[in-house]
């Protein structure tokens, strides 16, 4: 009998602090940085974003999303036998202990389940899903908690209006379980390190101090051009691997980075925009958290129903990209 991996629960969390474009523009104006709601919306489709409080870490956001996913799956924390957490903003310098291990402790998981972080920036969640799918299909694990969590507000240069207006904080989570019914139909992952310089945090740690910049840098036009191209290709690769036609996709859930990139991807796949889940307007770009946040919202508001076929795809620094085609 074939073993599949299936999404059996979703959850998400947004910090309480919501900052509109007008509020952010007012804050930036105090530093002599000019921007406006119209400028931000026209270029990105973003109207607001959420920021974590100073005491909130990625693990805190991840914990809340994970608890909601577990509740939706009807599971207890110790039913989980693997945790995979995608983040570019880990709790600890150097990334250890891993944020996944911190979440394991905060959830009270005591069964010795392995826990690990995945770093693929905005593609992190689809990377993590692909890893979880492989572990489940081999029989190594049965119930995997997959999380995307970010506090990108910590690495933004608020003197650079081209980047600081785009990103927000949040977390999303799913529980993937072994199933006799098809769930994940195909996954495809890629990377090309030669493009790493167009989206990165170029600083490093040297003798306990930051050498270089610790802020996010992005070459917007270069990222835009590459993203539209690779997202279309990787989606078609996943469709071909599953022998599914694009017309059979019920919902497209792309990484929520820029509405123009998202619309361009949908059009290339021949999908009406009504079939695309869009949360970027209210969340901004939450990196690895954006896909599970959008997925959870669409599941909870009733748009995504059991049996629906969904395409999730992301592209991020590295340069990384990937897609997951799944049946709910």
């Amino acid at each position: 009998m074939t073993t599949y991996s299936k999404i059996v629960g979703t959850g998400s969390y947004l910090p309480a602090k919501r900052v509109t474009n007008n509020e952010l523009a007012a804050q930036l104006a105090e530093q002599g940085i000019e921007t406006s709601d119209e400028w931000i919306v026209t270029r990105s489709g973003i109207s607001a974003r959420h920021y974590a409080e100073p005491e909130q870490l990625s693990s805190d956001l991840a914990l809340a999303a994970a608890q909601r996913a577990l509740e939706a799956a009807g599971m207890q924390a110790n039913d989980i036998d693997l945790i995979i957490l995608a983040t570019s903003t880990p709790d600890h310098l150097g990334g250890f202990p891993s944020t996944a291990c911190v979440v394991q402790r905060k959830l009270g998981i005591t069964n010795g389940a392995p826990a690990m972080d995945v770093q693929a920036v905005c593609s992190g969640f689809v990377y993590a899903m692909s890893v979880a799918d492989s572990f489940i299909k081999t029989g190594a694990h049965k119930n995997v908690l997959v999380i995307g969590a970010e506090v990108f507000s910590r690495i933004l240069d608020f003197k650079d209006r081209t980047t600081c207006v785009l990103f927000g904080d949040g977390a999303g989570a799913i529980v993937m379980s072994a199933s006799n019914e098809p769930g994940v139909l195909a996954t495809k992952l890629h990377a090309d390190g030669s493009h790493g310089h167009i989206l990165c945090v170029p600083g490093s740690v040297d003798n306990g101090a930051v050498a270089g910049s610790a802020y996010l840098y992005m070459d917007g036009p270069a990222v835009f051009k590459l993203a539209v191209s690779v997202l279309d290709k990787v989606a078609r690769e996943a469709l071909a691997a599953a022998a599914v036609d694009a017309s059979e996709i019920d919902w497209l859930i792309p990484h929520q980075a820029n509405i123009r990139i998202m619309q361009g991807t949908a059009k290339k796949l021949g999908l009406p925009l009504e079939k695309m889940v869009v949360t970027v307007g209210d969340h901004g770009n939450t990196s690895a958290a954006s896909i599970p946040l959008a997925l959870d919202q669409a599941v909870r508001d009733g748009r995504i129903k059991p049996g629906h076929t969904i395409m999730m795809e992301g592209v991020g620094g590295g340069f990384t990209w990937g897609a997951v085609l799944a049946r709910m």
Side-chain angles (χ1 to χ4, degrees), residues 26 89 128 189 212 239 295 328:
T89 52
L189 304 177
L239 288 167
L295 171 63
M328 297 299 288

Side-chain angles (χ1 to χ4, degrees), residues 250-306:
D250 293 297
W251 293 101
L252 172 66
I253 309 180
H255 167 49
Q256 309 284 313
N258 181 300
I259 190 62
R260 292 184 296 163
I261 294 175
M262 296 162 62
Q263 290 172 342
T265 301
K267 289 176 182 178
K268 280 179 173 286
L269 289 172
L271 296 175
L273 297 182
E274 294 76 21
K275 284 192 171 186
M276 182 169 66
V277 179
V278 179
T279 60
V280 68
D282 196 49
H283 299 173
N285 182 344
T286 56
S287 189
S290 78
I291 291 174
L293 271 166
L295 171 63
D296 183 54
Q297 180 170 308
V299 167
R300 291 178 184 265
D301 68 23
R303 278 178 289 172
I304 293 180
K305 303 180 186 301

Side-chain angles (χ1 to χ4, degrees), residues 1 3 27 48 75 117 122 137 157 161 207 217 226 279 282 288 309:
M1 184 179 295
T3 299
Q27 295 172 21
M75 292 186 186
D117 288 358
C122 303
K137 286 179 176 176
D157 180 358
R161 73 167 183 168
N207 291 321
Y217 166 80
L226 190 58
T279 60
D282 196 49
T309 299

Side-chain angles (χ1 to χ4, degrees), residues 5 17 47 81 84 95 100 106 118 126 134 139 156 160 164 170 212 253 256 265 283 289 317:
S5 69
K17 184 179 180 181
S47 297
D81 57 14
I84 307 174
K106 291 182 176 181
V118 169
V126 292
S134 296
L156 298 179
D160 177 7
C164 73
I253 309 180
Q256 309 284 313
T265 301
H283 299 173

Side-chain angles (χ1 to χ4, degrees), residues 8 66 69-70 73 75-84 104 107 109-115 141-147 174-177:
V8 297
L70 285 167
M75 292 186 186
Q76 301 299 313
N78 272 313
D79 293 329
I80 296 298
D81 57 14
L82 173 63
I83 302 171
I84 307 174
Q104 181 191 50
L107 280 171
I109 294 177
T110 57
N111 59 14
H141 296 281
K142 293 182 178 180
N143 298 313
V144 183
L145 178 61
V146 182
I147 308 169
I174 61 173
V175 177
M176 295 174 65
S177 294

Side-chain angles (χ1 to χ4, degrees), residues 41-310:
V41 171
T42 300
R43 286 159 177 77
S44 67
I46 297 168
S47 297
R49 72 287 295 148
H50 293 250
Y51 290 152
E53 296 296 335
E55 67 276 9
Q56 284 184 305
L57 303 173
S58 286
S59 64
D60 296 314
L61 279 55
L63 173 65
Q67 289 171 329
R68 293 171 183 174
L70 285 167
E71 181 181 9
M75 292 186 186
Q76 301 299 313
N78 272 313
D79 293 329
I80 296 298
D81 57 14
L82 173 63
I83 302 171
I84 307 174
L85 189 148
T87 187
S88 297
T89 52
D91 283 12
H92 298 285
L93 186 66
F96 66 89
S98 71
T99 304
C101 281
V102 177
V103 172
Q104 181 191 50
R105 172 177 59 80
K106 291 182 176 181
L107 280 171
I109 294 177
T110 57
N111 59 14
M116 62 181 173
D117 288 358
V118 169
Q119 165 56 303
V121 199
C122 303
S123 307
F125 188 76
V126 292
Y127 264 61
M129 275 196 73
S130 181
V131 174
D133 176 59
S134 296
F135 271 120
I136 290 172
K137 286 179 176 176
T138 64
H141 296 281
K142 293 182 178 180
N143 298 313
V144 183
L145 178 61
V146 182
I147 308 169
E150 303 283 14
V151 284
F152 252 58
S153 59
R154 308 275 163 82
I155 58 172
L156 298 179
D157 180 358
F158 284 91
K159 294 180 181 179
D160 177 7
R161 73 167 183 168
T162 64
T163 57
C164 73
V165 301
L166 302 178
F167 295 87
D169 304 336
I174 61 173
V175 177
M176 295 174 65
S177 294
S179 173
N180 295 326
E181 299 178 356
V184 172
L185 304 177
T187 71
K188 289 293 179 180
L189 304 177
H190 293 284
D192 184 348
S194 68
H195 297 290
H197 62 286
I198 67 175
L199 178 55
C200 61
V201 177
S204 59
V205 178
D206 184 14
N207 291 321
V210 175
S213 173
Y215 293 125
L216 179 147
Y217 166 80
M218 181 172 67
D219 180 341
V223 170
F224 185 97
K225 182 179 179 180
L226 190 58
V228 172
S229 172
V230 300
L231 286 174
D232 174 55
K233 291 177 182 177
V234 77
R236 294 186 184 281
E237 287 176 355
L239 288 167
V244 172
D245 190 79
S247 63
E248 298 177 64
I249 296 174
D250 293 297
W251 293 101
L252 172 66
I253 309 180
H255 167 49
Q256 309 284 313
N258 181 300
I259 190 62
R260 292 184 296 163
I261 294 175
M262 296 162 62
Q263 290 172 342
T265 301
K267 289 176 182 178
K268 280 179 173 286
L269 289 172
L271 296 175
L273 297 182
E274 294 76 21
K275 284 192 171 186
M276 182 169 66
V277 179
V278 179
T279 60
V280 68
D282 196 49
H283 299 173
N285 182 344
T286 56
S287 189
S290 78
I291 291 174
L293 271 166
L295 171 63
D296 183 54
Q297 180 170 308
V299 167
R300 291 178 184 265
D301 68 23
R303 278 178 289 172
I304 293 180
K305 303 180 186 301
H308 277 181
T309 299
I310 61 173

